[in-house]
């Protein structure tokens, strides 16, 4: 049973918004496009395992995708997929990496060989061990019963070749292709045949997971050392992405493709929330949407039923990131 669905990560949404709002010849575009490609590959890799998770009995497995829990004052653990059963908890770290993958446990690194080129990645084995440690602490801190925590590193790219040194037996147990995931979970069921958690406790842990989940947020402009002045403002055309559209008689008009829209400003305000600030005032709205009328800006913001504070003239609206 999926308790927390997989959604498009905020990272991808921010990168896409940033590319929409930078000039085509901006020197940072290539770097941002590379980061977006990596994030998209990771997301697609995580989605690829969902097919195999559907084979699991819905009544015995609680599945949580993209779970981020706080442990202590400043530490967080990010889990691609967490599976809770009455007998054990399973952490899945998904890697969508093509080529020949050599898990080097002598130097704790993952080496990918592709097109005769070697590339190093952080060791996923250490990564899942940290996740295992943090989830154990999180359960203790929240006074839940102790339960075995297992970890798998799932390679979602079907043509990847997995290798390691013969003496590193842990790799043979922990690393697998996504197609083999149901069988590996079945093996765990045979190892852990005693129920530890009651259905009531499982539901309580599930509620706490969802309640305590803290989505990762970050300042994307700072990440790429960009200033707000470099961001292109104005409402863009949903059809040809021309900036800016012109508002006439309650409609947004594109002077390039001649399309017209009633609500093209919604995506623009969404971009503002992703790139600049999750809150906006009437003046900020007018500046970003290229409006001259405070009453029109107010009407557009009010129509979105946004939460707000302050008096009518000094009102600040909270932009909900979808």
């Amino acid at each position: 049973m999926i308790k927390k669905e997989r959604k498009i990560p905020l990272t991808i949404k921010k990168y896409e918004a940033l590319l929409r709002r930078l000039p085509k010849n901006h020197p940072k575009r290539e770097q941002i496009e590379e980061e977006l490609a990596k994030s998209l590959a990771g997301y697609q890799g995580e989605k690829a395992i969902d097919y195999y998770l559907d084979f699991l009995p819905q009544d015995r497995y609680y599945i949580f995708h993209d779970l981020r829990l706080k442990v202590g004052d400043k530490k967080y653990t990010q889990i691609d997929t967490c599976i809770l059963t009455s007998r054990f908890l399973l952490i899945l770290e998904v890697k969508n990496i093509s080529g020949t993958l050599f898990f080097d446990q002598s130097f704790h690194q993952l080496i990918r060989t592709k097109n005769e080129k070697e590339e190093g990645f952080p060791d996923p084995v250490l990564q899942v061990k940290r996740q295992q440690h943090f989830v154990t602490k999180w359960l203790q801190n929240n006074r839940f019963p102790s339960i075995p925590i297992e970890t798998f590193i799932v390679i979602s790219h079907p043509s990847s070749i997995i290798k390691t040194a013969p003496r590193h037996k842990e790799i043979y147990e922990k690393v697998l292709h996504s197609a083999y995931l149901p069988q590996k979970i079945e093996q765990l069921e045979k190892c852990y045949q005693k129920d530890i958690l009651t259905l009531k406790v499982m539901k309580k842990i599930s509620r706490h997971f969802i309640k305590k989940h803290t989505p990762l947020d970050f300042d994307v402009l700072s990440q790429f050392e960009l200033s707000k002045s470099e961001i292109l403002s104005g409402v863009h055309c949903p059809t040809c992405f021309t900036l800016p559209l012109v508002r006439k008689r309650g409609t947004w008009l594109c002077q390039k493709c001649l399309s017209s829209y009633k609500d093209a400003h919604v995506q623009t305000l969404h971009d503002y929330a992703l790139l600049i600030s999750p809150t906006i005032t009437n003046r900020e709205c007018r500046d970003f949407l290229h409006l001259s009328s405070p009453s029109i800006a107010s009407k557009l913001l009010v129509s979105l039923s946004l939460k707000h504070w302050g008096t009518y003239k000094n009102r600040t609206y909270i932009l909900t990131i979808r």
Side-chain angles (χ1 to χ4, degrees), residues 25-297:
N25 60 350
H26 195 283
K28 294 289 181 70
R29 281 193 73 91
E30 185 176 352
Q31 181 186 355
I32 299 165
E33 287 168 350
E34 289 176 357
E35 292 300 320
L36 174 60
K38 291 178 185 178
S39 297
L40 285 170
Y43 176 58
Q44 293 300 327
E46 292 169 18
K47 285 179 62 179
I49 73 166
D50 293 347
Y51 170 80
Y52 301 101
L53 293 177
D54 285 342
F55 287 97
L56 300 178
Q58 296 293 304
D59 58 335
R60 286 165 42 203
Y61 295 85
Y62 287 2
I63 300 174
F64 307 83
H65 294 303
D66 301 321
L67 188 62
R68 186 169 182 264
L69 301 174
K70 186 176 183 180
V71 184
D73 294 333
K74 297 181 180 180
K75 294 181 180 179
Y76 289 86
T77 185
Q78 175 82 40
I79 302 170
D80 291 340
T81 295
C82 176
I83 301 175
L84 178 67
T85 77
S86 61
R87 303 175 182 180
F88 60 88
L89 185 149
L90 175 61
I91 294 172
L92 302 181
E93 176 62 28
V94 184
K95 298 297 182 185
N96 186 16
I97 307 176
S98 60
T100 299
L101 310 180
F102 185 83
F103 286 79
D104 179 4
Q105 293 304 282
S106 296
F107 295 97
H108 295 287
Q109 61 184 334
L110 170 61
I111 302 172
R112 188 261 293 273
T113 303
K114 186 177 181 181
N115 299 326
E116 300 183 353
K117 179 183 176 182
E118 282 192 345
E119 185 178 1
F121 295 86
D123 183 9
V125 176
L126 291 180
Q127 186 177 354
V128 294
K129 285 182 178 179
R130 286 194 297 268
Q131 292 171 346
Q132 184 182 45
H133 171 74
F134 281 134
V135 173
T136 300
K137 293 291 292 183
W138 187 91
L139 291 171
Q140 292 174 350
N141 293 344
N142 287 276
R143 296 183 174 85
F144 287 117
S146 176
I147 184 171
I149 298 177
E150 293 286 346
T151 60
F152 289 147
I153 298 161
V154 184
I155 307 301
S156 62
H157 202 288
S159 63
S160 296
I161 300 172
I162 303 170
K163 292 185 176 183
T164 191
R167 65 183 181 277
H168 296 147
K169 296 181 180 180
E170 183 181 20
I171 301 302
Y172 295 96
E173 295 296 324
K174 294 295 183 183
V175 183
L176 60 141
H177 278 293
S178 53
Y180 193 50
L181 184 56
Q183 288 87 340
K184 289 291 286 186
I185 294 177
E186 186 178 340
Q187 291 176 14
L188 289 179
E189 287 282 1
K190 293 178 180 179
C191 292
Y192 300 105
Q193 298 186 2
K194 181 180 178 182
D195 289 333
I196 297 175
L197 303 178
T198 64
L199 181 60
K200 182 179 179 180
V201 174
M202 285 181 64
K203 289 182 177 179
K204 188 175 181 181
I205 294 175
S206 175
R207 289 194 299 271
H208 269 65
F209 273 165
I210 294 171
K211 181 180 179 181
K212 300 295 185 179
H213 167 68
T214 308
L216 174 65
D217 200 358
F218 63 100
D219 186 342
V220 69
L221 299 188
S222 295
Q223 179 183 353
F224 296 102
E225 299 180 335
L226 298 169
S227 64
K228 288 197 296 184
S229 62
E230 296 175 87
I231 301 300
L232 299 176
S233 59
V235 177
H236 70 72
C237 177
T239 301
C240 68
F241 296 98
T242 294
L243 276 169
L245 299 188
V246 178
R247 187 167 180 84
K248 291 183 178 179
R249 297 179 181 178
T251 302
W252 297 101
L253 303 175
C254 179
Q255 296 176 316
K256 183 177 180 180
C257 70
L258 304 181
S259 300
S260 62
Y261 305 91
K262 286 288 186 181
D263 59 356
H265 59 279
V266 175
Q267 181 61 62
T268 296
L269 291 173
H270 187 54
D271 286 352
Y272 184 93
L274 289 167
L275 302 176
I276 309 237
S277 172
T279 63
I280 195 168
T281 63
N282 186 293
R283 176 174 290 280
E284 290 167 341
C285 178
R286 278 182 278 146
D287 290 343
F288 203 70
L289 269 58
H290 294 192
L291 295 171
S292 59
S293 170
S295 62
I296 292 177

